[in-house]
Amino acid sequence: MGCPICGKNTDSMWLKFSRKHVYMSHRKGLGPTHSYRDKKAWFDGKSEHGRTGRILTGHEVSQNLRNFKNDFGNVKGSGRKRKRIVLLSDSDDSSIESEEEEEEEEVEVDEDELSRWKKRSILFKLPYWEVCIA
Amino acid sequence: MDVMHVEKNVASSIVSTLLHCGKSKDGLNARKDLQNLGIRKDLHPTTQGKRTYLPAAPWSLSKKEKKTFCKRLHDFKGLDGYCSNIARGVSLEDCKITGLKSHDYHVLMQQFLPVALRGLLPKGPRTAILRLCAFFNHLSQRVIDREVISVMETEIVETLCMFERFFPPSFFDIMIHLTVHLGRETRLEGPVHFRWMYPFERYISLHLTLNT
């Protein structure tokens, strides 16, 4: 969830007692024959043979953020306003799904992805921006 | 991504874990997690009667070592304009470090931590910390070499694995993970000091003083 570069491929683990997500398994980034990969007792008791996930390209990020709506200002604690925002976003999603039936899977990914972002920068309005963010 | 905040958060979590102050990543819950994961049996909490004991870990400094560490930081005297007075944030009595600013952590990470830790921790965690400091030092040079950067990228992964070996799982929040990507960004976008947040943070503080 946490990393904007790895996207949804981020390796995370929930710690029950500390009550937080941690991002370990850096051994995946090592070379395929690195000696650390087979050291079980040093790390989590398993040998690691996975590889790091692909990082997001600029095009993917801008695709994900395409439908992002900025809502500025403080959201007050009253329940009514919150509800309205949720309703709005729901209706948005349904309209998107109806418009683009082919990309249904992508839209599902989007909701997951969008939860990571707080704001769509105005720089994304530039036509060439997705090429710039490598 | 912003090097300033990553560096600050990483440095503060290292220092607080070493000294058991502030937001230390070690504690009863961290040890319980180790127990839950079933790894590193020598660090699990042990119960004797009513009390629960946490065995000494490779990342913890002994009382004497804490004293030396704080003394070294406290006694530092730098040039004018090099950094703020770090001794203000170090308390020698209870061996705690509080109230450092992000630039203090920058200086700490770049140059002080390797010196202050000399001969203190067990060798493994010490090397890991020194390697991380060296990474940040290379990263924020004014002149960078692309080939050196790509070597650093592979090295930082290895360094983080060394951290995984010695430090508790609760240490690895997202900021530690983000260091992996810093090398690549520097390779693509150029030196760090053109795109970090220090000038903007100063600018914000200027506005705050003007408004009040």
Side-chain angles (χ1 to χ4, degrees):
Chain A
M1 282 284 281
C3 182
I5 295 179
C6 301
K8 66 179 193 303
N9 299 323
T10 319
D11 288 307
S12 69
M13 184 168 68
W14 174 255
L15 289 185
K16 200 169 128 197
F17 292 100
S18 304
R19 299 176 52 74
K20 63 180 183 183
H21 284 284
V22 288
Y23 305 85
M24 292 178 78
S25 67
H26 288 111
R27 278 191 293 166
K28 286 186 179 177
L30 292 171
T33 54
H34 199 282
S35 61
Y36 280 8
R37 280 181 178 266
D38 291 326
K39 297 269 195 288
K40 291 180 189 171
W42 285 13
F43 298 99
D44 54 357
K46 296 172 204 123
S47 56
E48 177 73 67
H49 295 293
R51 298 185 58 198
T52 43
R54 196 172 52 82
I55 54 176
L56 293 176
T57 60
H59 182 67
E60 279 164 340
V61 174
S62 84
Q63 280 290 312
N64 287 332
L65 286 180
R66 192 184 37 179
N67 299 316
F68 193 86
K69 280 228 164 58
N70 289 333
D71 44 348
F72 293 112
N74 284 328
V75 180
K76 288 276 161 23
S78 66
R80 200 174 57 88
K81 259 197 165 174
R82 281 252 172 189
K83 256 184 192 166
R84 275 175 78 186
I85 290 164
V86 171
L87 280 177
L88 268 178
S89 64
D90 275 352
S91 59
D92 283 345
D93 288 337
S94 58
S95 62
I96 294 156
E97 277 173 46
S98 56
E99 281 169 16
E100 306 159 15
E101 287 174 356
E102 296 168 355
E103 292 185 351
E104 266 193 341
E105 282 185 6
E106 265 201 33
V107 172
E108 272 174 33
V109 173
D110 277 359
E111 284 170 21
D112 190 31
E113 292 283 323
L114 285 185
S115 65
R116 201 171 303 123
W117 297 87
K118 295 276 192 298
K119 185 193 171 209
R120 183 178 191 260
S121 167
I122 51 167
L123 293 172
F124 279 94
K125 282 180 186 165
L126 299 172
Y128 53 85
W129 187 246
E130 61 181 47
V131 189
C132 289
I133 42 173
Chain B
M1 219 149 10
D2 171 34
V3 176
M4 178 192 114
H5 284 105
V6 174
E7 191 178 28
K8 184 227 153 201
N9 289 332
V10 169
S12 76
S13 74
I14 287 178
V15 167
S16 59
T17 308
L18 291 184
L19 292 177
H20 284 282
C21 65
K23 289 184 178 175
S24 173
K25 307 291 176 190
D26 186 22
L28 181 59
N29 283 329
R31 301 301 181 89
K32 275 186 183 169
D33 280 318
L34 282 177
Q35 209 169 16
N36 190 29
L37 294 170
I39 52 174
R40 291 196 264 172
K41 298 213 164 48
D42 49 328
L43 299 181
H44 292 175
T46 49
T47 324
Q48 288 176 6
K50 279 183 183 175
R51 294 182 166 221
T52 314
Y53 292 95
L54 305 180
W59 59 82
S60 54
L61 295 165
S62 67
K63 211 165 195 180
K64 205 175 152 195
E65 285 179 326
K66 274 185 200 173
K67 275 245 159 65
T68 342
F69 182 74
C70 290
K71 188 94 178 36
R72 283 174 185 174
L73 286 184
H74 188 83
D75 288 349
F76 169 77
K77 285 193 178 63
L79 296 174
D80 190 21
Y82 174 69
C83 67
S84 67
N85 186 8
I86 287 198
R88 249 186 329 202
V90 182
S91 76
L92 282 179
E93 288 87 42
D94 42 0
C95 295
K96 279 184 177 158
I97 291 185
T98 46
L100 292 192
K101 299 284 184 186
S102 46
H103 185 260
D104 300 333
Y105 280 116
H106 173 66
V107 177
L108 209 66
M109 201 65 181
Q110 299 278 317
Q111 278 154 345
F112 288 176
L113 213 50
V115 181
L117 276 179
R118 183 152 292 181
L120 285 189
L121 281 172
K123 201 178 169 198
R126 191 176 64 217
T127 340
I129 294 176
L130 295 200
R131 280 179 65 143
L132 192 70
C133 293
F135 171 77
F136 274 108
N137 193 3
H138 280 299
L139 194 74
S140 33
Q141 293 301 317
R142 274 198 238 170
V143 182
I144 52 170
D145 186 353
R146 276 179 199 215
E147 289 165 10
V148 175
I149 291 279
S150 42
V151 173
M152 271 163 47
E153 269 176 77
T154 55
E155 274 180 357
I156 183 67
V157 175
E158 204 176 307
T159 311
L160 285 183
C161 290
M162 292 162 89
F163 268 96
E164 275 186 30
R165 182 182 166 193
F166 295 109
F167 279 73
S170 50
F171 180 76
F172 294 89
D173 53 4
I174 191 64
M175 283 295 166
I176 311 286
H177 168 78
L178 291 183
T179 49
V180 178
H181 302 301
L182 289 181
R184 174 176 158 276
E185 294 213 330
T186 310
R187 191 158 43 87
L188 294 173
E189 295 166 13
V192 170
H193 65 275
F194 291 125
R195 51 200 172 83
W196 63 14
M197 282 290 176
Y198 285 110
F200 302 101
E201 299 275 331
R202 300 303 300 196
Y203 191 59
I204 291 170
S205 86
L206 175 76
H207 275 284
L208 289 177
T209 50
L210 285 182
N211 280 340
T212 50

